[in-house]
Amino acid sequence: MGLLLGMLGSLSMIPPGQADQGGAAGETPVFTDVTGPAGITWKHFNGESPDRFLIETSCGGAAFLDFDGDGLLDLYLVNGGETPRGKSPTPVRNALYRNLGQGRFEEVSQRAGVGQVGFYGMGAAAADYDNDGDQDLYVTGFPSSALFRNNGDGAFENVSESAGVENPERWGASAAWIDYDRDGLLDLFVCNYAELSFANPITCDHKGIPAYCDQKSYAPSRSRLFRNRGDGAFEEVSKASGIDRHQSRAFGVVSIDADGDGWQDLLVAGDATPNLLLRNKRDGTFEEVGFEADMAFNSEGVARSGMGIDAGDFDGDGNPDFVVTNFHDEFHALYRNRGKFPFRELSRSSGLTRFTVPYVGWGVRFIDYDNDSDQDLMIVNGHVTRTIELARRDITYLQLPLLLDNDGRGKLRDLADRAGPVFRTGHAARGLASGDFDNDGDSDALLVRLNRRPLLLRNNRGQDATWIGFRLEGTRSNRDAIGARLEIDWGKGKSVRWLSGGGSFLASHDKRLLFGLGEAGPEQVEATIQWPSGQRQRLSGLETNRYHYVVEGKAAPGP
């Protein structure tokens, strides 16, 4: 994460020119901050301490999940935790908020049993790993992680030990559910970042003042892959699969079929270690092809400081493209997947480089905020050093989120003037999740900020256009259908979405697939689903402006 991370000070002002100013007179912003009206009062705590543990700068997970199966997305927020000399005045807890509808939430963490985890928290990954119809929850952290099995009665059971996925003595960051062997059971990939010990701080200074050490002071770790046995337990297959051959400061991960062969691959963002593209060889093993894809390093052959990563069809050619957030002066990176290697970096030609020069990026999502059919970008940023303004006039600690509009011709446009006050205010943001929490057919967002309340952002724009959404249920495939590819034909063209695992940074997202069709979209569309099992299913006469529930192998969707 950059070179010297600098001393920890008290300066945290909002950069000049980034005050809360409205857009055009009378114009409704794209996103509205509804955190307060929603009843969300939880606050993040990162255990800032004189020891300057690097983990203090990078925590804060966010998740959308429907844990009670009522069709409304609930929220899960992952706290950091205490460090030996960074204590909280109140007990540190994670928070689960149940969606009551009408924009209101209630905290149910205590009765659900997911508030206390017993370790320093990082991120979350929600999925139905046991195929029983309920969303389960994996929480990463240091020096262990936890798997909470959903009992289906509003409560969860911590089954980490019996399941064998505690990830002991590792600094777990992002995680992704992936059916890498296509047996209908979700397996688990955990990004492990670096070697860390609270008992033995790594100390650095800047001109004699204690400072956060460069990330290269922390030895890279090895990520882990756990295979689901189907009996409630997992077996670690990191060595057998070839995953543990790669030492990496792995921060973000997305699982998706990158090469179109029907098998799920893994793309991992590395912090001052090469980004990894772990191609599934279809025999239980993976090979690293990030170098061949030309996404491992920058054009000078240097590994950038990758944090968040996501996949989406940016150029509309039916192949998944990729975006990776990096440190300031490195620029965030956008890669076009042409269906063959190497990928082509579009960072400069798209305008992404120009918009991200001063930012340290974390969570990132491809979303079609206005439902015009093009995949736009939302990115959250925030520096790691409070006193960066003393050394750089052009860099701030609190940094702006970005909503970048895709014009459909390969160019991005910054919507700071229209996106809403949150996008004109500085934040120390980390995790970013997307989902339609109010079921109005557009993507809302949830982000976590260091030592502040999270932000729940309601989309006011997408519902003005035509849209169609899908909730998939696998039968031969895993029940969540993670790994599915869905293509719709809507007269004006075709659009593709993937139900990927992971994505962004420390986050988990709405499992429904949402397509925008423009302001004058059709009344019906056709859809083709490539299920993770390999089965293909075609549906026609699907009404727009509604969600469709599709079960693998059934001829007609349900409500």
Short mmCIF file of all heavy atoms in Angstrom, two decimals, residues 2 18 63-64 73 82 104 111 139-140 143 209 246 276 285 317 351 360 364 384 403 427 432 472 475 544 559:
data_model
loop_
_atom_site.label_atom_id
_atom_site.label_comp_id
_atom_site.label_asym_id
_atom_site.label_seq_id
_atom_site.Cartn_x
_atom_site.Cartn_y
_atom_site.Cartn_z
N GLY A 2 1.58 1.42 -1.07
CA GLY A 2 2.40 2.60 -1.19
C GLY A 2 3.76 2.38 -0.59
O GLY A 2 4.14 1.29 -0.21
N GLN A 18 -14.41 20.04 -1.27
CA GLN A 18 -15.17 18.79 -1.18
C GLN A 18 -16.27 18.89 -0.14
O GLN A 18 -16.68 17.91 0.44
CB GLN A 18 -14.23 17.62 -0.86
CG GLN A 18 -13.21 17.38 -1.95
CD GLN A 18 -12.30 16.22 -1.64
OE1 GLN A 18 -12.49 15.53 -0.65
NE2 GLN A 18 -11.30 15.99 -2.47
N ALA A 63 -21.86 -6.58 3.90
CA ALA A 63 -22.55 -7.65 3.19
C ALA A 63 -24.03 -7.37 3.07
O ALA A 63 -24.67 -6.92 4.03
CB ALA A 63 -22.33 -8.99 3.88
N PHE A 64 -24.58 -7.62 1.89
CA PHE A 64 -26.02 -7.76 1.69
C PHE A 64 -26.34 -9.25 1.65
O PHE A 64 -25.69 -10.00 0.91
CB PHE A 64 -26.45 -7.13 0.36
CG PHE A 64 -26.61 -5.64 0.38
CD1 PHE A 64 -25.76 -4.84 -0.34
CD2 PHE A 64 -27.64 -5.05 1.09
CE1 PHE A 64 -25.91 -3.45 -0.36
CE2 PHE A 64 -27.81 -3.67 1.09
CZ PHE A 64 -26.94 -2.87 0.36
N LEU A 73 -33.38 -7.79 1.47
CA LEU A 73 -31.96 -7.88 1.79
C LEU A 73 -31.66 -7.29 3.15
O LEU A 73 -32.02 -6.15 3.46
CB LEU A 73 -31.13 -7.14 0.73
CG LEU A 73 -30.98 -7.81 -0.63
CD1 LEU A 73 -30.13 -6.92 -1.53
CD2 LEU A 73 -30.36 -9.19 -0.51
N GLU A 82 -9.99 -4.85 18.83
CA GLU A 82 -8.99 -4.26 19.70
C GLU A 82 -7.60 -4.80 19.38
O GLU A 82 -7.44 -5.93 18.92
CB GLU A 82 -9.32 -4.54 21.16
CG GLU A 82 -10.61 -3.88 21.63
CD GLU A 82 -10.86 -4.09 23.11
OE1 GLU A 82 -10.54 -5.21 23.60
OE2 GLU A 82 -11.36 -3.17 23.77
N ARG A 104 -36.70 0.52 6.68
CA ARG A 104 -36.32 0.43 8.09
C ARG A 104 -35.64 -0.90 8.37
O ARG A 104 -35.97 -1.93 7.79
CB ARG A 104 -37.55 0.57 8.99
CG ARG A 104 -38.20 1.92 8.95
CD ARG A 104 -37.37 2.98 9.64
NE ARG A 104 -37.19 2.65 11.06
CZ ARG A 104 -36.39 3.33 11.89
NH1 ARG A 104 -35.69 4.35 11.43
NH2 ARG A 104 -36.28 2.99 13.15
N ARG A 111 -29.54 -11.94 19.12
CA ARG A 111 -30.35 -13.16 19.04
C ARG A 111 -29.95 -14.05 17.87
O ARG A 111 -30.18 -15.25 17.89
CB ARG A 111 -31.83 -12.82 19.01
CG ARG A 111 -32.36 -12.13 17.78
CD ARG A 111 -33.89 -12.07 17.87
NE ARG A 111 -34.52 -11.41 16.75
CZ ARG A 111 -34.96 -10.16 16.75
NH1 ARG A 111 -34.79 -9.42 17.84
NH2 ARG A 111 -35.56 -9.64 15.70
N VAL A 139 -16.95 -15.19 8.07
CA VAL A 139 -16.36 -13.93 8.51
C VAL A 139 -14.85 -14.12 8.62
O VAL A 139 -14.38 -15.02 9.33
CB VAL A 139 -16.94 -13.47 9.86
CG1 VAL A 139 -16.35 -12.11 10.25
CG2 VAL A 139 -18.46 -13.39 9.78
N THR A 140 -14.09 -13.29 7.93
CA THR A 140 -12.63 -13.39 7.94
C THR A 140 -12.02 -12.46 8.98
O THR A 140 -12.64 -11.48 9.40
CB THR A 140 -12.04 -13.05 6.57
OG1 THR A 140 -12.39 -11.69 6.24
CG2 THR A 140 -12.56 -13.97 5.49
N PRO A 143 -6.56 -13.69 14.46
CA PRO A 143 -5.74 -14.72 13.82
C PRO A 143 -6.54 -15.94 13.36
O PRO A 143 -5.98 -17.01 13.17
CB PRO A 143 -4.80 -15.12 14.96
CG PRO A 143 -5.64 -14.98 16.18
CD PRO A 143 -6.54 -13.80 15.93
N ILE A 209 9.52 10.00 14.05
CA ILE A 209 8.16 9.87 14.57
C ILE A 209 7.63 8.50 14.19
O ILE A 209 7.75 8.07 13.04
CB ILE A 209 7.26 10.97 13.99
CG1 ILE A 209 7.81 12.34 14.36
CG2 ILE A 209 5.83 10.82 14.51
CD1 ILE A 209 7.06 13.48 13.71
N HIS A 246 1.68 -19.95 -4.37
CA HIS A 246 1.82 -18.53 -4.64
C HIS A 246 1.79 -17.72 -3.35
O HIS A 246 0.75 -17.61 -2.70
CB HIS A 246 0.71 -18.07 -5.57
CG HIS A 246 0.55 -18.94 -6.78
ND1 HIS A 246 1.46 -18.94 -7.81
CD2 HIS A 246 -0.38 -19.87 -7.09
CE1 HIS A 246 1.09 -19.83 -8.72
NE2 HIS A 246 -0.03 -20.41 -8.30
N LEU A 276 -3.06 -12.18 -9.34
CA LEU A 276 -3.08 -13.57 -9.77
C LEU A 276 -4.34 -13.85 -10.59
O LEU A 276 -5.44 -13.41 -10.23
CB LEU A 276 -3.06 -14.52 -8.57
CG LEU A 276 -1.91 -14.37 -7.58
CD1 LEU A 276 -2.11 -15.33 -6.40
CD2 LEU A 276 -0.57 -14.62 -8.25
N THR A 285 -7.11 -28.72 -10.05
CA THR A 285 -5.94 -27.86 -9.84
C THR A 285 -6.10 -26.55 -10.61
O THR A 285 -6.93 -26.44 -11.51
CB THR A 285 -4.64 -28.55 -10.29
OG1 THR A 285 -4.66 -28.72 -11.71
CG2 THR A 285 -4.48 -29.90 -9.61
N ASP A 317 -19.16 -7.01 -24.81
CA ASP A 317 -18.84 -8.04 -25.80
C ASP A 317 -19.10 -9.46 -25.30
O ASP A 317 -18.80 -10.43 -25.99
CB ASP A 317 -17.38 -7.91 -26.25
CG ASP A 317 -16.37 -8.26 -25.16
OD1 ASP A 317 -16.79 -8.44 -23.98
OD2 ASP A 317 -15.16 -8.32 -25.46
N GLY A 351 -10.34 6.83 -19.12
CA GLY A 351 -10.36 7.96 -18.20
C GLY A 351 -10.19 7.57 -16.75
O GLY A 351 -10.10 8.43 -15.88
N VAL A 360 -6.42 6.28 -2.88
CA VAL A 360 -6.12 4.93 -2.42
C VAL A 360 -7.44 4.17 -2.45
O VAL A 360 -8.35 4.46 -1.66
CB VAL A 360 -5.52 4.93 -1.01
CG1 VAL A 360 -5.25 3.49 -0.54
CG2 VAL A 360 -4.23 5.74 -0.97
N VAL A 364 -14.80 -1.87 -4.84
CA VAL A 364 -15.13 -1.47 -6.21
C VAL A 364 -16.19 -2.42 -6.76
O VAL A 364 -16.13 -3.62 -6.54
CB VAL A 364 -13.87 -1.47 -7.10
CG1 VAL A 364 -13.18 -2.84 -7.10
CG2 VAL A 364 -14.20 -1.06 -8.53
N VAL A 384 -4.42 5.74 4.11
CA VAL A 384 -4.10 4.99 5.31
C VAL A 384 -3.38 5.84 6.35
O VAL A 384 -3.20 5.40 7.49
CB VAL A 384 -3.24 3.74 4.98
CG1 VAL A 384 -4.01 2.80 4.09
CG2 VAL A 384 -1.94 4.15 4.32
N LEU A 403 -18.43 7.67 -8.52
CA LEU A 403 -19.44 7.05 -9.35
C LEU A 403 -19.10 7.45 -10.77
O LEU A 403 -19.18 8.63 -11.14
CB LEU A 403 -20.85 7.51 -8.98
CG LEU A 403 -21.98 6.88 -9.79
CD1 LEU A 403 -22.02 5.36 -9.58
CD2 LEU A 403 -23.33 7.49 -9.44
N HIS A 427 -14.07 10.48 2.90
CA HIS A 427 -14.29 9.35 3.81
C HIS A 427 -13.03 8.49 3.88
O HIS A 427 -12.22 8.49 2.94
CB HIS A 427 -15.45 8.47 3.33
CG HIS A 427 -16.70 9.22 3.01
ND1 HIS A 427 -17.61 9.60 3.96
CD2 HIS A 427 -17.18 9.69 1.82
CE1 HIS A 427 -18.61 10.26 3.38
NE2 HIS A 427 -18.37 10.32 2.08
N LEU A 432 -17.18 -2.31 0.34
CA LEU A 432 -18.30 -1.81 -0.46
C LEU A 432 -19.10 -2.98 -0.99
O LEU A 432 -18.55 -3.86 -1.66
CB LEU A 432 -17.78 -0.97 -1.63
CG LEU A 432 -18.81 -0.59 -2.71
CD1 LEU A 432 -19.85 0.38 -2.16
CD2 LEU A 432 -18.12 -0.01 -3.93
N LEU A 472 -31.79 -17.01 -9.05
CA LEU A 472 -31.57 -18.36 -9.56
C LEU A 472 -31.44 -19.35 -8.42
O LEU A 472 -30.84 -19.06 -7.38
CB LEU A 472 -30.29 -18.40 -10.41
CG LEU A 472 -30.20 -17.39 -11.56
CD1 LEU A 472 -28.90 -17.60 -12.33
CD2 LEU A 472 -31.41 -17.50 -12.49
N THR A 475 -30.26 -26.84 -8.86
CA THR A 475 -30.64 -28.18 -8.40
C THR A 475 -29.45 -29.11 -8.59
O THR A 475 -28.88 -29.62 -7.63
CB THR A 475 -31.88 -28.67 -9.18
OG1 THR A 475 -31.66 -28.56 -10.59
CG2 THR A 475 -33.11 -27.88 -8.79
N THR A 544 -40.72 -7.53 -18.07
CA THR A 544 -39.73 -6.62 -17.49
C THR A 544 -40.32 -5.90 -16.28
O THR A 544 -41.50 -6.04 -15.96
CB THR A 544 -39.26 -5.60 -18.54
OG1 THR A 544 -40.40 -4.93 -19.10
CG2 THR A 544 -38.50 -6.30 -19.67
N PRO A 559 -42.77 -16.44 -9.30
CA PRO A 559 -42.75 -15.08 -8.80
C PRO A 559 -41.59 -14.86 -7.83
O PRO A 559 -41.08 -15.80 -7.27
CB PRO A 559 -44.10 -14.95 -8.09
CG PRO A 559 -44.42 -16.34 -7.65
CD PRO A 559 -43.87 -17.23 -8.72
#
